[in-house]
Amino acid sequence: MERASGRDDAADRIREQRGWYFYDFACSVYSTSVLTVFLGPYLTSVAKAAADADGFVHPLGIPVRAGSLFAYAVSVSVVVAVIAMPVAGAAADRTGRKKPLLAAAAYVGAAATTGMFFLEGHRYLLGAFLLIVANAAFSVSMVLYNAYLPQISEPDERDAVSSRGWAFGYTSGAFVLVLDLVLYTAHDSFGLSEGDAVRICLASAGVWWGVFTLVPLRRLRDRRTPRNGAGPGAGAAAPGWRQLVATLRDMRRHPLTLSFLLAYLVYNDGVQTVISQASVYGSEELGLDQTTLITAVLLVQVLAVAGALGMGRLARRYGAKRTILGSLVVWTLILLAGYVLPADAPLFFYVLASAIGMVLGGSQALSRSLFSHLVPEGKEAEYFSAYEMSDRGLSWLGPLVFGLAYQLTGSYRDAIMSLVIFFVIGSVLLARVPIRRAVAAAGNPVPERI
């Protein structure tokens, strides 16, 4: 009976893991098609159409240069997310009900993204509002999604499970981006204007997000832990900043976990800045056209699947920490190669995009799984809210350094080289974290290889 029960438990765990993968499959299309490719240029064009003679729009009476609207909307969404993420994380841990909160965040984000179909004419305010809602909801949903990882996987399988989740996400991102490119490049054949094609691409990402979210909602289950419902007012979450301060204060009791989070904050800031500024570098410094840049993004998505799975296998052999450190060396070499990349040479840019794809998914997936070992039981969503803010809400220093380097030197090549410091410092900080001791200090079983 015990053996049968063990098989049943394993089967249930695998069923949940497969359902969990599908949330990455559902929401990654938003990151790829909406944020990375289509929304920024399109929202900027809508704002420019509504701008006055001096190139300014006036949301709430505030003069804003039309070309800055997208960046400002993303910044506002980060502020909203920073307030909402710790509230959602604490509520999930206290009540043990992650799934209803995940459903709410996912469908708010999916609805806002689908609503981008109506973004046309001079409706820049609608576009900015929908972006703020969708981006904040996406961040909140990722807190809850990531918090399931330590609950649905054994310590020794967590690297592989996390890597498969990222692979599912990159697979869907690549597949939908191919469909988007067909529609966008052949919009005349479909009887559509370029704007109509973009709006369909934006809205379809929201529909995709909503439809495939049904899979994890059917397969994941909520769990009660001793901490769920403990203490007065356990069912209610504190206001955002107060909850964030409480979470960080609690993390001080686990300084090694905090040390890893600091290392992740530094090197991930470098990763996110490379990704966000690569298209600017390609167009402004290397003189590449839009088609080249979009196909390079597609190449990154395709190769990130293999990269995530391949680095997951390396982690099983060498440990997640060593594999991440190796990936940071590769990121540094990518920047050095980017610095000497010749202009008007799409082939070399594709080679660089291939290298990014091979380390992007793996470094993100293994960082997530490694952090999951450092989270005390019953505080998964709360701690992952801090992790998610490191991933999304606090990645501002890299773009600032990049922008200042360009402002001072007038060279995007010098700006891209300025990012090397994030990978060097991040590597040093990560190397100094005694991971096995950190796992034990969090009260978790230490895997044989980590």
Side-chain angles (χ1 to χ4, degrees):
M1 290 298 292
E2 288 182 4
R3 187 173 299 173
S5 175
R7 285 198 298 269
D8 291 343
D9 289 344
D12 288 344
R13 192 171 69 251
I14 292 172
R15 173 182 167 81
E16 277 198 277
Q17 289 170 3
R18 289 173 177 169
W20 184 80
Y21 300 149
F22 266 93
Y23 189 68
D24 234 325
F25 190 84
C27 71
S28 290
V29 172
Y30 168 79
S31 296
T32 305
S33 293
V34 177
L35 275 185
T36 305
V37 177
F38 289 109
L39 184 58
Y42 185 68
L43 180 57
T44 300
S45 70
V46 171
K48 287 182 176 179
D52 60 23
D54 296 321
F56 285 84
V57 290
H58 299 269
L60 305 177
I62 303 170
V64 174
R65 191 173 293 278
S68 300
L69 181 70
F70 177 73
Y72 287 149
V74 171
S75 297
V76 173
S77 75
V78 168
V79 174
V80 175
V82 165
I83 294 172
M85 285 190 290
V87 173
D93 286 335
R94 286 170 174 165
T95 64
R97 302 193 61 186
K98 294 183 182 68
K99 192 157 70 169
L101 293 169
L102 175 61
Y107 283 108
V108 166
T113 306
T114 305
M116 292 176 187
F117 179 79
F118 301 102
L119 176 57
E120 60 181 339
H122 291 179
R123 296 176 178 172
Y124 71 91
L125 276 177
L126 174 64
F129 173 74
L130 292 176
L131 169 58
I132 291 167
V133 173
N135 219 33
F138 176 80
S139 296
V140 170
S141 73
M142 290 305 294
V143 168
L144 302 161
Y145 165 71
N146 288 336
Y148 272 103
L149 178 60
Q151 296 181 333
I152 64 171
S153 55
E154 296 295 329
D156 289 327
E157 63 182 357
R158 213 164 284 170
D159 292 338
V161 171
S162 183
S163 297
R164 289 188 203 113
W166 279 104
F168 265 61
Y170 284 117
T171 299
S172 71
F175 175 72
V176 174
L177 190 56
V178 168
L179 300 180
D180 288 343
L181 286 173
V182 171
L183 179 64
Y184 178 74
T185 56
H187 58 83
D188 288 335
S189 303
F190 295 103
L192 299 170
S193 68
E194 184 177 314
D196 291 336
V198 171
R199 291 188 297 113
I200 291 172
C201 291
L202 293 172
S204 63
V207 174
W208 181 283
W209 186 356
V211 169
F212 284 101
T213 294
L214 293 172
V215 179
L217 293 181
R218 285 180 62 87
R219 293 200 172 187
L220 293 173
R221 61 185 178 88
D222 287 327
R223 294 161 173 80
R224 298 192 65 81
T225 70
R227 191 172 181 267
N228 297 152
W241 288 107
R242 184 149 46 107
Q243 181 58 55
L244 174 59
V245 170
T247 300
L248 293 176
R249 188 173 296 156
D250 184 77
M251 291 182 76
R252 289 171 58 188
R253 298 192 298 112
H254 302 281
L256 297 180
T257 300
L258 206 54
S259 296
F260 172 81
L261 196 60
L262 176 61
Y264 175 73
L265 169 63
V266 174
Y267 70 73
N268 182 66
D269 206 350
V271 171
Q272 297 300 323
T273 307
V274 172
I275 298 305
S276 65
Q277 301 303 320
S279 60
V280 174
Y281 186 73
S283 61
E284 298 297 326
E285 184 67 33
L286 304 181
L288 303 175
D289 58 34
Q290 187 68 25
T291 301
T292 299
L293 296 175
I294 294 176
T295 50
V297 171
L298 177 59
L299 182 62
V300 168
Q301 297 295 310
V302 172
L303 292 178
V305 177
L309 297 176
M311 286 183 64
R313 294 191 183 96
L314 288 174
R316 286 199 296 272
R317 181 171 183 178
Y318 300 107
K321 178 181 173 180
R322 288 182 179 178
T323 306
I324 294 171
L325 287 170
S327 77
L328 298 182
V329 173
V330 176
W331 276 109
T332 303
L333 295 175
I334 287 171
L335 292 178
L336 295 173
Y339 180 78
V340 299
L341 208 64
D344 299 316
L347 178 60
F348 290 106
F349 190 73
Y350 287 137
V351 172
L352 203 62
S354 301
I356 289 175
M358 293 304 294
V359 293
L360 176 62
S363 58
Q364 292 175 321
L366 294 178
S367 295
R368 177 173 64 184
S369 63
L370 190 54
F371 182 72
S372 72
H373 291 285
L374 311 181
V375 178
E377 184 181 2
K379 297 184 179 181
E380 291 86 3
E382 190 175 336
Y383 272 51
F384 266 109
S385 70
Y387 177 87
E388 194 67 19
M389 280 185 287
S390 295
D391 191 10
R392 303 180 195 281
L394 299 180
S395 293
W396 55 270
L397 187 57
L400 177 62
V401 169
F402 184 92
L404 287 175
Y406 177 73
Q407 181 174 329
L408 293 173
T409 67
S411 168
Y412 281 107
R413 294 185 187 273
D414 291 338
I416 206 77
M417 279 301 295
S418 70
L419 302 179
V420 168
I421 191 69
F422 290 92
F423 296 105
V424 172
I425 294 177
S427 297
V428 172
L429 291 175
L430 177 59
R432 291 171 60 88
V433 179
I435 294 295
R436 301 186 72 84
R437 187 148 53 92
V439 175
N444 296 320
V446 181
E448 181 179 347
R449 192 176 298 280
I450 192 170

